[in-house]
Amino acid sequence: MSKNYLNLLDHIAIIMDGNGRWATKRGLPRNVGHKAGVKAIEKTIDACLKYKIKYLTFFAFSTENWKRDEKEINGIFSLLRDYLHDNPYNFNEKGVSVKHIGDLNPFPEDLKNQLLKTEKETSKNKNITVTFALNYGGRDEVVRAINKVLKSDKKGITFDEFKKNLDTKFLPDPDLVIRTSGENRLSNFMLLQMAYSELYFPKVLWPDFNEKELLKALKVFSKRERRFGGIKK
Ligand code: IPE
Ligand code: IPE
Ligand code: MG
């Protein structure tokens, strides 16, 4: 596999799916699956650092995930808050800048504050930007962006101007989108940003994702021919 395609890969976005099934298969509560999913996040960041990927985004909680039981939702929130607080991975040592996309308003104050604190404390890191999509939905993001535009006195707007109102304004569009667990759908993730992304749907459940799985994804990506509406030169 030639390494050159890595120069063309700035941003990998991942729909981490299959935590619940991973746990259920083992007769364990769903939240054990979410906990195991955190290890897969660490392995994936490590692998992306190794291959010098500059942006990595994880879909962690969707605007639709509020439909789940309170126990599961609170479990996910505690996991995230404690993880950011304890910082066992040590984002600063690894040069990871942590960011979020999504509307944080409905989250518990302590989780919100911890996330903003982590973002501030890691903001100068340059090796990789790791973004967590939290209470994120592509449709919700667009509506919030439209409402921002409506507050200005603009009569018309180009897409490039509109983009600056999206949560993702600090991110390039994803080059590669991976959704684990064999589901072939986007579930409201980065709908506008994915217009020309390469999509990859491996069967592996998220907690089992690792460097080997990432390499498989990179290999698939390296064989894709991106044309962006043009023709092969
Ligand atoms: C993805 O795993 C993580 C979140 C949505 C938080 P799931 O919890 O959706 O796992 P499955 O799809 O039920 O296996
Ligand atoms: C998408 O997974 C959301 C996240 C990974 C956070 P879901 O498990 O919520 O999606 P559906 O319900 O299968 O479409
Ligand atoms: Mg799921």
Side-chain angles (χ1 to χ4, degrees), residues 12 14-17 19 22 26 36-51 53 56 58 176 178-181 200 202-219:
I12 299 179
I14 304 185
I15 303 173
M16 308 184 279
D17 200 13
N19 293 352
W22 186 93
R26 289 163 175 77
V38 175
K39 284 276 152 244
I41 293 178
E42 291 181 342
K43 287 181 195 164
T44 307
I45 302 175
D46 275 339
C48 285
L49 281 166
K50 182 165 164 189
Y51 298 107
I53 306 292
L56 176 61
F58 293 107
L176 171 64
I178 302 171
R179 180 180 187 141
T180 56
S181 89
Y200 174 62
K203 290 222 160 32
V204 60
L205 301 175
W206 176 250
D208 294 326
F209 199 84
N210 54 23
E211 180 177 346
K212 202 169 138 225
E213 293 293 334
L214 183 83
L215 273 174
K216 280 194 221 164
L218 294 180
K219 194 165 175 193

Side-chain angles (χ1 to χ4, degrees), residues 82-141:
D82 295 348
Y83 188 81
L84 292 174
H85 177 268
D86 300 344
N87 193 12
Y89 182 77
N90 203 332
F91 293 119
N92 281 333
E93 208 164 84
K94 305 253 183 167
V96 175
S97 167
V98 176
K99 301 262 189 216
H100 80 277
I101 53 173
D103 176 8
L104 296 186
N105 284 319
F107 285 124
E109 279 305 302
D110 57 350
L111 172 56
K112 217 169 17 184
N113 291 339
Q114 178 58 55
L115 180 65
L116 297 175
K117 185 164 178 264
T118 302
E119 289 190 8
K120 206 167 154 203
E121 285 171 358
T122 62
S123 65
K124 296 207 167 58
N125 295 336
K126 295 270 180 281
N127 290 347
I128 191 168
T129 298
V130 172
T131 303
F132 292 95
L134 293 164
N135 188 31
Y136 176 86
R139 290 176 177 178
D140 180 65
E141 179 190 35

